Amino acid sequence: MSDIASITSKVKKRAEELTKPGASLLELATELENYIVEQGARPAFPINISIGEIAAHYTPSSDETTKIGEKDLVKVDFGIELDGLISDNAVTFDFSGEHGNLVEAAEAALATALSTIKAGTTIKEVSKAIQDEIKGRGLKPIANLTGHKIEGHILHAGVSLPNVAVNDSYVFKEGDIFAVEPFVTTADAAGQVVDTDRVEIYSFVMKPNLRMRESRILLNYIEENYGTLPFAERWIEKKVPSKLLLLASLKELLRTHAIQAYPVLREANGKPVAQAEKTVVVEKDGVTTLV
Ligand code: MN
Ligand code: MN
């Protein structure tokens, strides 16, 4: 556990050094992904860099020229996979100086959740604690983005930890691994995210019969290299001879449910979103944080 925790700390520090106005999203993502590999681990999913009202699932494409703006609210979400363990983490940078309350609320809600979780507490109690912390600051949690249980190579292992109070009687057990991730927006926001048309991230689902040779080659490559963990289009595009064939293959893989898409998510009212995330192991009297 200590190895993945120390690598996570190093990556977080690197993200804090590299994330600044003027930085290219593509360079930032690839530098952090390479840095994870240099530490002897691998990215559990593409580095997500989501700005402003974009809440999650944004990773740059290979030809992206976007740079971080002078006043951007930037969420960097990164995952580390080492020896079958995954840690999932996020940090928000406010370069506007106007959204400090959102960032502080996300961090405070995370701290409150981590001080509430121990063997025997329930999702009902923790989700209410997160909601109360955020609402008590006059802000709104995002209702349809949640923390999640992690099991081995499975990033979302079927149990969700919502950021709004829910009547879920799931009891935390010693040894459970959970990613806890409050998302906070303004009081006049919808408090919900919606899909956009942009997709850069996918994951393997199953192996159906495929007509195109390129689709079969691509799917084998995906399964061998990423298992069911999410991957970026820019990670696989060189495996197909042309952009046109890549798009046709992805289309077939999606149509046959061989892979699933993770559309970029934005706040439904276009309001700014902050996020804090850590991964913890549940203990008898509290949690051990994997960072
Ligand atoms: Mn997560
Ligand atoms: Mn995450």
Side-chain angles (χ1 to χ4, degrees):
M1 300 272 179
S2 62
D3 265 3
I4 194 166
S6 68
I7 293 172
T8 300
S9 300
K10 280 189 189 171
V11 176
K12 189 174 179 178
K13 201 164 157 249
R14 196 84 187 109
E16 285 163 356
E17 288 164 4
L18 296 175
T19 307
K20 53 190 168 215
S24 132
L25 298 197
L26 181 59
E27 281 176 25
L28 175 57
T30 42
E31 278 194 43
L32 290 175
E33 285 161 5
N34 292 341
Y35 187 71
I36 291 169
V37 173
E38 282 164 26
Q39 305 305 311
R42 64 171 190 163
F45 49 83
I47 301 284
N48 287 209
I49 309 169
S50 305
I51 296 176
E53 75 277 17
I54 301 301
H57 299 168
Y58 194 105
T59 200
S61 60
S62 60
D63 57 1
E64 178 132 8
T65 55
T66 314
K67 290 178 164 54
I68 294 174
E70 293 297 325
K71 292 198 152 198
D72 278 348
L73 179 67
V74 187
K75 295 157 287 289
V76 177
D77 193 324
F78 62 95
I80 316 274
E81 194 270 330
L82 182 71
D83 301 332
L85 274 174
I86 292 173
S87 89
D88 183 2
N89 315 269
V91 55
T92 301
F93 304 92
D94 172 33
F95 298 115
S96 73
E98 292 161 16
H99 301 302
N101 58 338
L102 296 180
V103 180
E104 279 165 28
E107 290 291 344
L110 175 59
T112 298
L114 300 197
S115 67
T116 311
I117 299 172
K118 60 179 194 288
T121 54
T122 61
I123 284 191
K124 180 180 175 168
E125 292 166 76
V126 179
S127 63
K128 182 167 190 311
I130 293 171
Q131 173 181 285
D132 287 351
E133 184 65 51
I134 295 167
K135 287 199 167 170
R137 293 162 178 261
L139 298 167
K140 206 178 250 187
I142 302 273
N144 58 346
L145 285 175
T146 71
H148 47 95
K149 191 166 195 266
I150 296 175
E151 270 174 18
H153 282 93
I154 306 172
L155 187 57
H156 288 252
V159 183
S160 296
L161 173 57
N163 299 311
V164 293
V166 290
N167 212 348
D168 186 333
S169 57
Y170 180 90
V171 181
F172 288 97
K173 289 159 207 72
E174 223 176 316
D176 275 0
I177 299 178
F178 267 85
V180 185
E181 50 184 313
F183 284 83
V184 179
T185 186
T186 54
D188 58 348
Q192 300 253 1
V193 290
V194 290
D195 288 355
T196 68
D197 291 338
R198 184 180 164 122
V199 181
E200 293 290 342
I201 301 175
Y202 304 89
S203 71
F204 175 86
V205 179
M206 62 163 181
K207 259 184 158 156
N209 289 321
L210 296 164
R211 216 165 45 200
M212 288 175 60
R213 180 172 172 270
E214 287 76 16
S215 299
R216 293 195 294 271
I217 292 171
L218 204 51
L219 191 62
N220 283 335
Y221 180 83
I222 289 164
E223 192 188 16
E224 272 168 31
N225 286 276
Y226 313 120
T228 63
L229 290 175
F231 60 89
E233 188 170 314
R234 64 185 154 79
W235 290 3
I236 58 159
E237 61 192 4
K238 298 267 161 55
K239 302 296 157 190
V240 178
S242 74
K243 182 83 180 171
L244 219 62
L245 277 169
L246 174 72
L247 293 179
S249 298
L250 284 174
K251 206 171 165 187
E252 185 180 27
L253 293 175
L254 284 169
R255 185 174 49 75
T256 56
H257 306 289
I259 61 173
Q260 60 178 318
Y262 298 87
V264 170
L265 301 172
R266 85 176 165 81
E267 208 288 319
N269 281 0
K271 299 297 177 185
V273 178
Q275 173 200 18
E277 181 175 25
K278 283 180 182 172
T279 298
V280 299
V281 183
V282 179
E283 312 284 0
K284 193 160 161 277
D285 301 312
V287 295
T288 303
T289 307
L290 291 187
V291 65

Coordinates of all heavy atoms in Angstrom, one line a residue, residues 77 88 146 148 156 179 181 277, ligand 1:
D77 N -7.7 15.0 -12.7 CA -8.1 13.8 -12.1 C -7.2 12.7 -12.6 O -7.0 12.5 -13.8 CB -9.5 13.5 -12.4 CG -10.2 12.4 -11.6 OD1 -9.5 11.4 -11.3 OD2 -11.4 12.5 -11.3
D88 N -7.4 6.6 -7.1 CA -8.1 7.5 -8.0 C -8.1 8.8 -7.2 O -8.5 8.9 -6.0 CB -9.5 6.9 -8.2 CG -10.3 7.8 -9.2 OD1 -9.8 8.8 -9.7 OD2 -11.5 7.4 -9.4
T146 N -20.6 10.5 -8.4 CA -20.4 9.9 -7.1 C -19.0 9.3 -6.9 O -18.3 9.1 -7.9 CB -21.4 8.6 -7.0 OG1 -20.9 7.6 -7.8 CG2 -22.8 9.0 -7.3
H148 N -16.9 5.9 -5.4 CA -17.1 4.5 -5.9 C -16.2 3.5 -5.2 O -15.1 3.9 -4.9 CB -17.0 4.4 -7.4 CG -15.8 5.1 -7.9 ND1 -14.6 4.4 -8.2 CD2 -15.5 6.4 -8.2 CE1 -13.7 5.3 -8.6 NE2 -14.2 6.5 -8.6
H156 N -14.8 1.0 -11.0 CA -16.2 1.2 -10.4 C -16.8 -0.1 -10.1 O -17.4 -0.8 -11.0 CB -17.0 2.0 -11.4 CG -16.6 3.5 -11.5 ND1 -17.3 4.5 -11.0 CD2 -15.5 4.0 -12.1 CE1 -16.7 5.6 -11.2 NE2 -15.6 5.4 -11.9
A179 N -13.0 5.3 -3.6 CA -12.6 6.6 -4.0 C -13.8 7.5 -3.6 O -14.9 7.3 -3.8 CB -12.5 6.7 -5.5
E181 N -15.2 11.4 -3.7 CA -15.0 12.5 -4.6 C -16.2 13.5 -4.7 O -17.0 13.4 -5.6 CB -14.6 12.1 -6.0 CG -15.5 11.0 -6.7 CD -15.0 10.6 -8.1 OE1 -14.6 11.5 -8.8 OE2 -14.9 9.4 -8.3
E277 N -10.7 14.6 -4.6 CA -10.8 13.1 -4.6 C -9.6 12.5 -4.0 O -8.5 12.9 -4.3 CB -11.0 12.6 -6.0 CG -11.2 11.1 -6.0 CD -11.6 10.5 -7.4 OE1 -11.2 11.1 -8.4 OE2 -12.2 9.4 -7.4
Ligands
MN1 MN -13.3 8.4 -9.1

